[in-house]
Amino acid sequence: MEDRGAIRLEALKLGANAFTTHNFMELESAGPGRAVYRLTIRPESRNPFGMVHGGALYTLADDAAGAAAHSDGRHYVTQSGNLHFLDNRAHGVIRATGQVRHRGRSTVLVSVEITGEDGALLAAGEFSYFCVDRARMAQRAEET
């Protein structure tokens, strides 16, 4: 029997976007309504103070939350997001875990937490996503 979780993970990895790859973020695991992204902190990940850049933290959170939303096989775009920055790191690995809290017909609400290797909470927030028609989105991209 096929492992549906492994199939879902591979499908999400195949759909990885160039922005995520460019920023060295990787999908670590995914399942129904849940996803984890990982960032191994690099010089390119840091702000002028030597800590992970807030934009990198936000991107990591949006990727994890978005992958959790996408775990139903439909296509979504970010509708809104908030992230509370609580702590930071200069080295090591950080992980963002997205967990679906509510799935409606056209929107999904996902909570997200970013933690350090020691389990310390670095950031927490919520993102909402709107379900879209993938073909229509591709068409719009060509029009602009």
Side-chain angles (χ1 to χ4, degrees):
M1 181 191 282
E2 294 178 290
D3 179 357
R4 304 299 291 164
I7 292 169
R8 195 174 294 110
L9 178 62
E10 287 307 310
L12 285 169
K13 282 184 178 179
L14 290 174
N17 66 55
F19 187 76
T20 298
T21 303
H22 177 78
N23 287 288
F24 310 103
M25 297 173 187
E26 301 176 84
L27 178 63
E28 188 171 83
S29 65
R34 186 175 189 282
V36 178
Y37 265 78
R38 172 184 64 236
L39 170 65
T40 301
I41 300 169
R42 304 167 48 104
E44 300 90 344
S45 309
R46 296 188 188 112
N47 65 23
F49 302 106
M51 305 300 277
V52 176
H53 192 285
L57 291 167
Y58 192 91
T59 298
L60 190 66
D62 187 27
D63 283 347
H70 284 80
S71 68
D72 70 348
R74 298 190 302 165
H75 304 283
Y76 296 89
V77 293
T78 306
Q79 188 173 31
S80 68
N82 71 8
L83 191 65
H84 302 278
F85 300 101
L86 306 170
D87 200 354
N88 210 334
R89 294 291 184 269
H91 306 284
V93 175
I94 59 175
R95 288 180 174 78
T97 302
Q99 181 70 49
V100 170
R101 294 187 57 206
H102 172 78
R103 189 180 297 280
R105 288 181 305 218
S106 59
T107 62
V108 177
L109 178 64
V110 182
S111 63
V112 65
E113 290 188 348
I114 298 177
T115 55
E117 289 177 292
D118 59 357
L121 184 62
L122 306 180
E126 289 184 330
F127 287 76
S128 63
Y129 297 88
F130 186 75
C131 188
V132 297
D133 178 284
R134 186 177 184 138
R136 176 67 182 124
M137 294 303 290
Q139 180 184 11
R140 287 190 66 200
E142 291 175 13
E143 293 171 357
T144 58

